[in-house]
Amino acid sequence: MGKVHILIVEDEMAIQQLVSYNLIKAGFHVTCADTGEEALEHVLKEDIDCILLDLMLPGMSGLEVCTSIKAKAKRSGSHIPIIMLTAKGEEEDIVKGLECGADDYITKPFSPKVLIARIKAVLRRGVEKSRGKNEENESVIVIDNLTINKGRHEVTLKDEKLQLTMTEFGILELLAGKPGWVFTRQQIIDSVRGYDFLVTPRAIDVQIFGLRKKMGGSGTLIETVRGIGYRFQSAQ
């Protein structure tokens, strides 16, 4: 993984150089922009991991830049953390900055150590947010008209909730999680109930029968593989 890329949007050269020096020293890759317009060009052309944005800029204001970046990020599904870095520390200014989408707000003068800690904090939150979304997506199985939400322990078929037992849910989650894969009755028992649970293979047949009945016409998606076990076959 390469260095974290920070974009500094600041028209005061002394502050720009001070922040750049400390960030480079801390191991970040740094790009600078003197105006909001220039900042937007960098965001379009480069992979930026975090933006330090001055509120008072020539041309576009920091609020306008923040709003534009956040709007584009929302459409694309991406997220670039933005930290407002400004001398305007009144409560009203802070509220405006946060309402336009800023992830944090630091007033001048500031400590370089505190700034670096804040940058690492917003980057960490971004990683955790992305991880949470990925885990949420991984916890949902969607196949044909069937949706299985493992986290909520819910199954919907054609937008209608199915009332399944714990065992039925476990069997469906196992089979639908790997459509086309054949599972023996013993594999289903071991996965759904545990290796030490005393369930006869024939009891799995009863569970499959009940599951198919609750799924109605879609129950045919659970196929019997004669002499082996069962598999979930997509209708598509």
Side-chain angles (χ1 to χ4, degrees):
M1 181 182 291
K3 292 183 178 181
V4 172
H5 191 177
I6 309 294
L7 174 62
I8 302 172
V9 189
E10 170 64 64
D11 63 320
E12 292 187 37
M13 191 57 62
I15 296 178
Q16 187 184 108
Q17 291 178 349
L18 174 65
V19 174
S20 296
Y21 170 78
N22 282 281
L23 294 187
I24 292 171
K25 187 178 178 181
F28 295 106
H29 174 58
V30 174
T31 297
C32 296
D34 300 322
T35 67
E37 291 83 356
E38 185 182 349
L40 293 179
E41 290 181 8
H42 283 296
V43 171
L44 285 175
K45 297 177 182 178
E46 304 174 50
D47 291 326
I48 305 296
D49 298 303
C50 182
I51 300 173
L52 301 182
L53 180 61
D54 186 19
L55 198 59
M56 300 178 67
L57 295 168
M60 291 183 71
S61 70
L63 291 177
E64 291 173 322
V65 174
C66 182
T67 301
S68 177
I69 291 173
K70 290 296 182 177
K72 291 178 181 178
K74 186 176 181 179
R75 289 194 297 269
S76 64
S78 60
H79 174 69
I80 303 177
I82 296 178
I83 299 177
M84 289 290 190
L85 200 61
T86 179
K88 300 184 70 174
E90 290 79 9
E91 182 177 314
E92 183 180 349
D93 296 316
I94 295 175
V95 170
K96 286 181 179 178
L98 296 175
E99 285 182 343
C100 80
D103 297 87
D104 204 346
Y105 198 109
I106 300 177
T107 56
K108 303 173 185 176
F110 54 85
S111 161
K113 288 185 178 180
V114 170
L115 174 61
I116 291 170
R118 293 282 191 90
I119 292 172
K120 290 180 178 178
V122 296
L123 290 172
R124 185 166 57 250
R125 289 200 298 269
V127 170
E128 291 172 352
K129 187 175 181 180
S130 297
R131 184 184 298 124
K133 285 184 177 180
N134 290 335
E135 289 175 352
E136 182 178 344
N137 290 336
E138 290 173 359
S139 71
V140 178
I141 299 172
V142 180
I143 183 167
D144 299 306
N145 295 314
L146 185 71
T147 301
I148 304 171
N149 190 313
K150 293 186 280 187
R152 296 182 179 181
H153 212 269
E154 292 179 351
V155 176
T156 56
L157 180 63
K158 298 178 182 178
D159 297 324
E160 292 186 10
K161 285 188 179 181
L162 298 184
Q163 300 301 319
L164 304 183
T165 65
M166 290 285 289
T167 301
E168 290 170 344
F169 181 90
I171 292 173
L172 184 59
E173 176 190 341
L174 176 67
L175 299 180
K178 293 185 177 180
W181 284 45
V182 179
F183 293 89
T184 66
R185 291 172 176 81
Q186 189 59 50
Q187 285 176 322
I188 294 173
I189 293 171
D190 294 342
S191 175
V192 175
R193 305 299 288 177
Y195 293 100
D196 298 327
F197 200 87
L198 298 177
V199 176
T200 64
R202 195 54 55 191
I204 293 297
D205 295 339
V206 175
Q207 295 288 338
I208 293 288
F209 176 82
L211 182 57
R212 282 172 170 162
K213 187 175 181 180
K214 290 181 180 180
M215 292 175 65
S218 297
T220 57
L221 293 172
I222 301 177
E223 297 182 340
T224 301
V225 181
R226 190 173 299 277
I228 303 178
Y230 298 95
R231 69 181 172 197
F232 193 98
Q233 183 62 55
S234 173
Q236 297 180 352

